Amino acid sequence: MIRDISSGKLMIVSDLHGNGFDFRKVLKTYEELKSKGKADYLVFLGDLIHAYPGKQKDESLEMIEELMDLKANDPDSDVICLLGNHEFVHIYHIPLAKGPLEFTSWFEYRIQKCREEVIQFFMNMPLMLRTDGGTLINHTGASNRYKDDEKFNL
């Protein structure tokens, strides 16, 4: 699914990974910018969930619940959450690990009582955001896959 934006200024944030402190700061900053006419949309580029153990308290579920309360991704909402790989794995019950770190089981444990609503929220996350100016935004990072292909070397 692609979400189209025809006009406005975007505040873009990526990879909060369950950091509730930063999440709250982002929301506050967005509200301040919006009130001054400096931002029209708040866009999260995915990976809202799964804190890295030992780095900060994992507030992944609380962040998702707040975004659901804000009606993020509703057609008339100014808060847009794109799907990241950390959200994606919960839709399809895929374990996610990075080296010795395993991310999915703790979040699955925490969402037991509200899993249906959380997974529906994830399923409604657009994969991409497209602007009328021709910009396509998604969760993936830049790639050097085509660096040696003459078609792409300008």
Side-chain angles (χ1 to χ4, degrees), residues 77-141:
S77 178
D78 60 338
V79 179
I80 302 167
C81 302
L82 300 185
L83 184 69
N85 55 301
H86 283 254
E87 292 84 21
F88 176 86
V89 298
H90 290 280
I91 296 171
Y92 294 101
H93 299 279
I94 302 169
L96 179 66
K98 184 175 185 179
L101 301 176
E102 192 281 323
F103 293 100
T104 48
S105 59
W106 173 243
F107 190 74
E108 284 293 328
Y109 171 77
R110 295 218 46 228
I111 65 171
Q112 287 178 35
K113 294 181 180 174
C114 58
R115 187 174 200 286
E116 187 174 318
E117 295 83 8
V118 169
I119 298 307
Q120 188 61 53
F121 181 72
F122 290 170
M123 290 175 68
N124 289 331
M125 289 177 160
L127 296 175
M128 296 179 222
L129 181 68
R130 180 174 45 201
T131 71
D132 274 0
T135 303
L136 188 63
I137 303 166
N138 63 13
H139 176 69
T140 62

Side-chain angles (χ1 to χ4, degrees), residues 134-151:
T135 303
L136 188 63
I137 303 166
N138 63 13
H139 176 69
T140 62
S143 170
N144 66 356
R145 178 182 208 164
Y146 302 107
K147 68 179 174 132
D148 297 324
D149 191 324
E150 290 182 25
K151 293 185 292 193

Side-chain angles (χ1 to χ4, degrees), residues 61-72 74 77 121:
L61 179 56
E62 293 79 6
M63 291 164 50
I64 296 302
E65 289 174 331
E66 185 160 351
L67 289 166
M68 290 190 303
D69 289 345
L70 290 171
K71 306 289 186 206
D74 281 4
S77 178
F121 181 72

Side-chain angles (χ1 to χ4, degrees), residues 13-62:
V13 179
S14 186
D15 295 86
L16 289 176
H17 288 289
N19 186 325
F21 177 82
D22 286 351
F23 175 72
R24 289 183 293 277
K25 190 165 185 143
V26 163
L27 291 177
K28 182 179 178 187
T29 301
Y30 172 66
E31 287 304 320
E32 290 171 3
L33 291 172
K34 185 177 177 183
S35 71
K36 295 175 184 175
K38 294 183 178 184
D40 300 301
Y41 292 95
L42 174 57
V43 180
F44 292 99
L45 295 185
D47 287 3
L48 287 158
I49 63 172
H50 296 160
Y52 283 80
K55 291 204 173 193
Q56 79 267 342
K57 178 182 176 187
D58 189 340
E59 296 183 60
S60 298
L61 179 56
E62 293 79 6

